[in-house]
Amino acid sequence: MSESLPPLTVNDLKNYLCNPAFSVYVFVGSEEDKGWKVAEAIHGLLPAHRIYRTADRSLVQELFGDHTEPALVYGWTEEPRFYLTQVEAEDFLTAFGRVKQARGEKV
Amino acid sequence: MSLIRLALTVISGISLLTPLAFAQRGGQTASVGPSSSLGQGCSAFEQNGSDRYPLTSSFQQQVDIRSNVIITFSHLNSDVEATEEWKQLVSILDRVMSLEAERSKFDPAAVNVADRVQVARYYKELTTFDDKVDELLQDLHGRFGLSSDELLEIFTRSGVSQPYEGLILWVRERQSTLRNNARTVVKESETVKIRVSAFQSSNNGQDKRVHVANYDNIPAAQPTEQQSLGLKLTGTEQKQLEAELKGNQLAIQRSSQLVTYAARTVDNLSELFDSLGQKLARSREGLNSLAATRATLAKIQQAVGSRQDLDQRRISSTLSQVDSQLTALEQTVGCLDSIQNLITTTRSLKLSELLAGSGHLLENVADCQDNVESTLDGIGGVLSDSSGISILNSLNLSLDGLKGIAKSGVEEPLREFHASLDSIAALFQFNAEAGKQLLPGVSAATEFQPTSSDYILQDLPNAPDAVVQLADLELTDGAQLTVNVDFLDKTDGSILSSVQYRLTTRWFGLHRKINGQTIFWKNEASSGPFRADIAAVASWQYRYRNASSGFQRFLNSWQPGFGIHLANVREGAQTLGYGLGLNLSLGDNIIGGGYGWNLSENQNGYWLIGVNLLPVIQSFNK
C-alpha cells in the first residue's frame, strides 16, 4: 500500500505502525523524486511492506524528531530502524538492503 | 498485478518490446571496431568442475585459480540458447515467476497478530522471501553488471504496473538482442577469422602471453600440483615468497636509511637556518655602511663639482653609476633580509618558492658583485688626481666591505641552502625509488612462460572453443589475466571487432596464503623497543564465491585468517635466529599479529606485528 499525507494524518500513520504484520517506509519529498521511485520499486518487490509519502515534513515531524533525512525505515515495530540520507534513499540497492535488514531483525 | 498478466507478459514479451538504453548491457557488449555485432559472436564462462559461471567483458571479474576460462563460439550456428548468458536469463525468468507467485500468497490480513507462533512463522517466511529477492538483485548486479540506477529503471519503467513485470520485459529484450546478434553474426561470419590471446599482467608493466588451447602454438605448461591448504609451494609461489622476503628485507634497510637521512637533513637545515640568520644579520649591519658610502659619494661630487673639464663629467657619470649599483645592492640585501625573515621567523617552508627565490637571488648577487667590481675599476681609472685619492680610498674600503658581505655572507649560505633543498626533494622521491627497486624481484617471479607470436587463426563459423587452463599456469592468488578475442577480416587481416575479458584469479572457499612480511617483534621479557625483521607467514582464510549476506561480504572484504609464521628473530650478538609461532591476519595476509618462540637461542617468547610492505609500496606507486 502506497499512500500520501494528506489526506492521511500522522495519527493514521501511527495506527499503521502499530500493525506488526507490515513493515513501513516513510518518505519526505515529491512524487517525482527519485527517492520515491526507489520506495515504490521496493514496495512492488516485497510483500507486507507499506510506503507513505508527504511533501510537508512538518506533518511527520513527530516521527522524524530531530532527524533531517528524507526517509525513515521501520521494521515490524513502531521503533524507527534507519534514517536514510538523500543519497542512500536514491540508491536502489542501498535502500533495499536497509529495508531487508529492518525486516530481518528479530522482534 | 495478477499472475495471469505476468504470464501474458512473459509469453508476449517480445511483442511488447521497447528500446531501452541499457538493453545492450550484458555479456559481450564491450566490443570495439566497425562491426560491433561481431563482438556478440562469442561468450565466455569459467568452468570449475561441473560448475559454470558466465564471464562478462563489462568489468573485472574474479575467477577460481583452478578453473578453465572458456571462450565459446558455439551459438553462432543459431544455437544462442546454448550460451551461458541465455541460460542465466532463463534462470532469472524462472526465479521472477516463482517470486511473484510466492509474493501473492502472503496475506498480512490473515495473520493473527495475537498468535506469537503464527507471527514468528510469518516473519520467518518473509525473511526467506526477502533473501531470495536480495539474491536475485545481487545476481543482476554482479553477473549482468546492472547498477542501482539501471535496476531502478528496469523496475519502474513506464507501462508496467509493478517491478517484476519490468524485469521480465528486460529479460525478454535481452534474449531478443542475443538472438538478433547471433543471426547477424552468423551472416557476417563467413568472412571472419578469430584470434584469441591471453596475457598475464606483471608488476613491471610488461604483460606475459599465456597459452590458449586451439589458438596458439605456445607450448602448454606442465600441470603442477597447487595446494589449496597444504604448505607445499609451487615454483611460482616459491619465487613470489622469496621476492617478498627480499623485498621486505630491503624495505627495512631502506626505512632505516630513510630515518637516518631525514634526521641528518633536518639537523643540517636547522644549522643552515641558524647560520643564514647570523650571516644575514651581518648583511643588515652592512646596509648601515651603505649610508656612510653615500655620504662619501656626496663628498666626491662636491670635490669635483667645481671643476670645469672633461674629467669632471666622466667622474660625475661614473659616480652616478656607482650610486645606481649601490641602490641595486641595497635592494638585493633587502631581498635577502626578507628571505631570512621567512626562514627564521615564520618557518613557513614552501620548497618550490624558496628554490626559485634563492636561485634568483644568487643571480642577483653575482650580477651585483660584477657590477661593483667593474664600477670600482672605472672609478679607479678616472680619479687619478691627488685631490680625490683620499676620498677614493675611503670609497674603496666601503665597497670592499660590501663585496665581502655579498660573497661570504650571502652567496655561500644560499648555495648551501640550495643543496639542502635538493636533499629534501631527494628525500620525497625516496619512496618511489625504493618501490621501483623492489618491484623487479616480484616481476621476475611471474615470468613463467616463454612468449611466442605464433597465433592460430580459426574460421569463425567452425571456431573451436578457446581454453585457458588456469591451473596449469601456476598463478598466484590475485594474479591479473586478460583474454582478448579479435574478429579479423579474412582478406586483409584487419581487426573488425574485439572483446576483452579482464580476470583476477582467486582461491575460493577455505584456502591458505603464504606471504613474506616485515615484522616488528619484541622479546616478551624485554623492555626494549620493537625490532624490525622478516617472516614467512602462512594464513588460512575463507573467501565466498558469491557473497550474499553482510557477513559474507565482510569476510570477503577483510579476509581475516589464522595461521603460523617462521620468523628471523635475532637477539643480541646472534647473527641468525629462528622463531616459530601463531598468527592472526587481516586484509588478505597484508597485516597481522602473533606470538612466537625463539627456537635458536633461549626459546624466549615474543610478540610481533607484521605487515607485507610490497603491496603497500606498490599501491603508493600506482
Side-chain angles (χ1 to χ4, degrees), chain B residues 130-172:
Chain B
D130 290 358
D131 286 341
K132 287 180 190 171
V133 179
D134 188 42
E135 202 176 323
L136 177 74
L137 294 177
Q138 292 306 330
D139 275 356
L140 289 166
H141 176 59
R143 297 193 178 203
F144 290 89
L146 295 172
S147 68
S148 261
D149 283 352
E150 286 169 336
L151 285 168
L152 181 63
E153 199 174 338
I154 288 170
F155 292 136
T156 58
R157 63 188 292 178
S158 60
V160 302
S161 60
Q162 60 101 320
Y164 289 110
E165 190 183 351
L167 183 55
I168 289 166
L169 284 176
W170 177 82
V171 170
R172 302 304 302 188

Side-chain angles (χ1 to χ4, degrees), chain A residues 19-22 34 37-49 76-77 90-94 96-97 99-100 103-105 107, chain B residues 100 103 106 108-109 111 113 116 119 122-123 126-127 129-131 133-134 137-138 141 146-149 151-152 155-156 162-164 548:
Chain A
N19 188 340
F22 290 93
K34 185 179 176 186
K37 292 191 189 315
V38 167
E40 287 185 314
I42 295 170
H43 170 245
L45 290 173
L46 300 178
H49 182 57
W76 305 113
T77 69
E90 290 181 353
D91 186 281
F92 175 74
L93 288 173
T94 303
F96 178 86
V99 171
K100 176 178 173 290
R103 286 158 59 100
E105 288 175 357
V107 180
Chain B
E100 176 55 24
R103 181 183 184 281
F106 282 100
V111 178
V113 294
R116 297 186 68 168
V119 170
Y122 173 71
Y123 287 159
L126 277 167
T127 304
F129 180 86
D130 290 358
D131 286 341
V133 179
D134 188 42
L137 294 177
Q138 292 306 330
H141 176 59
L146 295 172
S147 68
S148 261
D149 283 352
L151 285 168
L152 181 63
F155 292 136
T156 58
Q162 60 101 320
Y164 289 110
S548 53

Side-chain angles (χ1 to χ4, degrees), chain B residues 28-42:
Chain B
Q28 294 76 39
T29 54
S31 57
V32 294
S35 176
S36 60
S37 61
L38 272 176
Q40 312 287 340
C42 65

Side-chain angles (χ1 to χ4, degrees), chain B residues 542-613:
Chain B
Y542 197 93
R543 182 181 281 117
Y544 285 92
R545 164 117 219 163
N546 292 311
S548 53
S549 71
F551 171 75
Q552 292 174 355
R553 280 194 287 271
F554 168 81
L555 216 59
N556 277 9
S557 299
W558 289 95
Q559 284 290 287
F562 176 78
I564 56 174
H565 70 261
L566 179 63
N568 189 9
V569 282
R570 288 163 296 182
E571 290 190 78
Q574 252 186 295
T575 53
L576 199 61
Y578 287 112
L580 186 65
L582 303 174
N583 261 66
L584 287 173
S585 67
L586 208 59
D588 215 9
N589 217 11
I590 287 183
I591 58 170
Y595 186 86
W597 295 267
N598 188 331
L599 303 178
S600 304
E601 183 73 357
N602 43 24
Q603 284 162 19
N604 282 338
Y606 60 85
W607 293 101
L608 69 82
I609 299 166
V611 56
N612 185 0
L613 291 174

Side-chain angles (χ1 to χ4, degrees), chain B residues 160-385:
Chain B
V160 302
S161 60
Q162 60 101 320
Y164 289 110
E165 190 183 351
L167 183 55
I168 289 166
L169 284 176
W170 177 82
V171 170
R172 302 304 302 188
E173 286 169 357
R174 184 73 206 134
Q175 287 178 323
S176 174
T177 304
L178 288 179
R179 201 185 291 280
N180 289 336
N181 286 337
R183 284 191 194 118
T184 309
V185 168
V186 167
K187 203 172 170 184
E188 292 178 353
S189 65
E190 301 296 325
T191 60
V192 173
K193 276 187 177 288
I194 292 174
R195 178 176 66 197
V196 182
S197 53
F199 298 87
Q200 186 200 349
S201 301
S202 66
N203 291 314
N204 61 9
Q206 291 177 343
D207 292 347
K208 306 292 173 195
R209 261 188 78 189
V210 297
H211 174 56
V212 182
N214 298 324
Y215 285 84
D216 63 44
N217 291 319
I218 297 174
Q222 292 299 315
T224 53
E225 187 195 358
Q226 203 163 7
Q227 296 189 338
S228 62
L229 296 174
L231 291 175
K232 186 181 173 188
L233 299 173
T234 63
T236 308
E237 286 174 328
Q238 274 178 28
K239 284 179 185 169
Q240 172 113 12
L241 179 61
E242 280 169 22
E244 285 185 352
L245 288 172
K246 279 181 191 168
N248 279 285
Q249 184 70 59
L250 186 57
I252 291 170
Q253 291 167 4
R254 292 290 186 189
S255 302
S256 169
Q257 287 171 12
L258 192 72
V259 170
T260 310
Y261 189 49
R264 198 167 61 226
T265 307
V266 168
D267 285 347
N268 286 347
L269 266 182
S270 183
E271 277 177 27
L272 182 65
F273 290 156
D274 291 343
S275 160
L276 197 60
Q278 289 169 10
K279 288 174 179 174
L280 286 174
R282 279 176 49 206
S283 300
R284 274 205 298 275
E285 287 170 13
L287 282 175
N288 295 332
S289 71
L290 278 176
T293 305
R294 286 191 186 286
T296 308
L297 276 176
K299 285 180 187 171
I300 294 175
Q301 288 277 25
Q302 205 174 6
V304 299
S306 57
R307 290 169 52 165
Q308 299 294 323
D309 54 22
L310 276 177
D311 280 350
Q312 188 275 335
R313 283 197 290 278
R314 285 165 61 196
I315 289 168
S316 292
S317 163
T318 306
L319 287 176
S320 170
Q321 288 174 30
V322 170
D323 187 59
S324 66
Q325 299 307 331
L326 286 174
T327 304
L329 198 60
E330 195 176 24
Q331 287 170 350
T332 303
V333 177
C335 284
L336 294 175
D337 199 39
S338 303
I339 287 272
Q340 192 256 349
N341 278 337
L342 182 69
I343 294 167
T344 57
T345 312
T346 67
R347 298 273 175 181
S348 159
L349 273 180
K350 290 185 178 176
L351 294 185
S352 56
E353 286 178 17
L354 281 179
L355 269 173
S358 61
H360 181 60
L361 279 170
L362 269 180
E363 287 172 15
N364 277 358
V365 169
D367 287 350
C368 208
Q369 221 175 297
D370 291 344
N371 288 340
V372 168
E373 280 173 6
S374 62
T375 307
L376 276 176
D377 289 345
I379 293 172
V382 292
L383 280 182
S384 55
D385 64 335

